[in-house]
Amino acid sequence: MDRCIVLVDAGYLLGAAASLLAGEPSRSRIHVDHAALIQGLRERAEAETERQLLRIYWFDGAPDRVPQPEHRRLRVMPRVTVRLGALTRSDGRWAQKGVDAAMHAELTELARNRACSDVVLVTGDGDLLPGMMAAKEHGVAVHLWAVQAADGDYNQSEDLVAEADERRVLDRTWITKAVRAKELSGICAPPPVPRPEIAAILSAPLPESAHGAGRPVSEGADAPPVQHEPAARTGHDAEDRTGAAKGVPTPKDLAALRAPGAVAGTAAQHPANATLRWSSDKGWAERPGGPGGGGEPPEAASLPTLAQLTTAEQRWADREEDITAVSGDPYEVGQVFARRWMARLGEQVELQKLSTMYPRVPHRIDGELLRYAARFGLLAHKDDQIDEHDRYAIRAGFWREIDVRTAEHAPAGS
């Protein structure tokens, strides 16, 4: 069959690109335009093999083999198939498991079935040597592509290089058409650029009365405001241990303040500006004018969930959109959920009710929002760690859409 197929080891391609452009193989140090990268691979493969492309196979690792946002974007692109292996952490480093075996199996199966006349391999792992040899025995021409090495030396197995029919190098000029290094601050990569909506949620200072609970004064209300989203932490206990250091009260902090005699000589009361970093029924600090019961406002119980507002036909359409159009970026996921919820509300008064509860998402809606996010692999345990930043971004995206809609329906001049 006179067609070409491209098999890409994403760990090799992007890791080598990061080494070339950023000086180290960490993929977090680079920004990738996946659409441009796929288009570049297709055009170059067709030009060098003089064959029409059948398909690009993208092999990568993911925690628990759950597709990440980049995989969701890739797998809906034309002529792209994503194959995922496991991603595990050992000795402080992430490692792919099962990717090489999957590439070997795909390569030999394609060659055995004569699905193509030419195969382009973008990899450096010598474990693919048996698969390369088997493909050649079935009459397939094997093209091996390398990424230009940062130190000018080989970053591929010499056995692979020797066995390939053709070898080409993807140089810096070609790589930078779709990949660029992220800007650095000093010697360390900067944290993600904070979104204003997330910063607003994180801006509540720690109650001054919490100092008496054995916490240093420097961690209290006089501490500098939070500038960046928190890093991933282990479990909910870690949230309680580290939340105070960020200058924002946790449910445990606020619950302790309510306990009689919790702070010597200080009445147990709720500071007016102590709001929660995340939705929780425990430790909710009432906002001014709220009911005195310490729980959710009564209006929250009357707000319908998205499931209650969605018909079977809409549910099918939502799933179709999730698969084909939603990349899975945490902020985007919150926006999509909010748009659907608002579009199906019968009364705008419900929307006004919700907007008065900022920054807390009512418990039932928040739980539904996070379950929706879990479909995209967000909030999943990664080596026993939960990325709390994803939670902030999901809820910030939700509130952003709510703000846009309420602004549209606000009376003129208000």
Side-chain angles (χ1 to χ4, degrees), residues 58-386:
W58 186 272
F59 295 86
D60 202 1
D64 300 323
R65 290 185 169 85
V66 176
Q68 301 302 294
E70 65 182 88
H71 303 136
R72 297 183 62 87
R73 288 191 291 269
L74 284 162
R75 68 185 185 180
V76 297
M77 292 181 185
R79 305 278 180 158
V80 177
T81 295
V82 175
R83 297 279 189 260
L84 294 180
L87 192 63
T88 60
R89 194 173 182 86
S90 177
D91 297 327
R93 297 177 64 106
W94 290 102
Q96 296 180 159
K97 299 293 183 183
V99 172
D100 295 335
M103 287 189 71
H104 177 277
E106 199 75 57
L107 175 58
T108 54
E109 188 70 12
L110 291 168
R112 183 182 300 112
N113 292 327
R114 301 188 182 279
C116 59
S117 60
D118 295 73
V119 168
V120 174
L121 292 178
V122 186
T123 185
D125 200 323
D127 291 344
L128 278 178
L129 182 61
M132 178 186 286
M133 297 173 65
K136 291 175 65 177
E137 290 172 0
H138 285 90
V140 174
V142 179
H143 305 251
L144 182 64
W145 288 1
V147 175
Q148 179 182 338
D151 55 8
D153 201 356
Y154 284 110
N155 54 13
Q156 287 180 307
S157 162
E158 292 187 14
D159 291 332
L160 278 183
V161 174
E163 191 68 28
D165 294 306
E166 302 281 352
R167 183 173 183 267
R168 297 288 185 270
V169 175
L170 305 176
D171 60 18
R172 181 187 295 268
T173 301
W174 190 91
I175 291 292
T176 52
K177 292 178 181 177
V179 183
R180 61 176 174 82
K182 294 179 180 177
E183 295 182 3
L184 300 182
S185 175
I187 60 173
C188 299
V193 177
R195 296 183 187 270
E197 294 81 5
I198 299 177
I201 294 175
L202 295 176
S203 63
L206 186 69
E208 183 178 355
S209 56
H211 300 323
R215 188 171 290 111
V217 173
S218 62
E219 296 178 356
D222 294 331
V226 176
Q227 297 297 324
H228 304 296
E229 297 87 348
R233 295 189 289 276
T234 304
H236 296 290
D237 290 339
E239 292 173 359
D240 290 342
R241 290 195 302 272
T242 62
K246 295 292 183 183
V248 182
T250 67
K252 178 182 283 188
D253 295 326
L254 298 177
L257 290 176
R258 281 207 304 273
V263 180
T266 303
Q269 58 183 354
H270 306 310
N273 59 358
T275 53
L276 286 183
R277 295 182 299 132
W278 60 84
S279 177
S280 172
D281 285 336
K282 295 181 180 179
W284 167 248
E286 294 300 338
R287 307 183 73 184
E296 280 199 331
E299 311 88 70
S302 65
L303 292 174
T305 63
L306 180 60
Q308 292 172 331
L309 298 170
T310 303
T311 65
E313 292 78 8
Q314 288 172 326
R315 191 175 301 113
W316 182 90
D318 291 348
R319 192 62 174 169
E320 180 74 9
E321 182 184 11
D322 290 343
I323 294 172
T324 60
V326 182
S327 72
D329 173 77
Y331 192 79
E332 178 194 15
V333 166
Q335 290 180 300
V336 171
F337 183 93
R339 280 198 296 268
R340 291 175 183 170
W341 187 79
M342 291 186 293
R344 294 164 195 173
L345 277 176
E347 297 290 338
Q348 290 302 316
V349 66
E350 304 287 357
L351 186 59
Q352 296 299 327
K353 283 183 187 178
L354 178 65
S355 64
T356 64
M357 300 176 194
Y358 178 86
R360 184 178 189 257
V361 183
H363 179 70
R364 290 189 308 148
I365 296 176
D366 186 64
E368 190 179 38
L369 170 61
L370 296 184
R371 286 192 298 273
Y372 173 63
R375 296 182 190 174
F376 299 89
L378 303 173
L379 314 177
H381 289 263
K382 303 172 183 177
D383 193 41
D384 295 328
Q385 292 184 339
I386 299 176

Side-chain angles (χ1 to χ4, degrees), residues 1 3-6 46 51-57 79-80 110 115-116:
M1 188 69 70
R3 295 179 295 191
C4 68
I5 287 176
V6 181
E46 291 183 336
R51 299 285 188 269
Q52 184 179 359
L53 177 76
L54 173 62
R55 191 172 299 116
I56 294 175
Y57 288 89
R79 305 278 180 158
V80 177
L110 291 168
C116 59

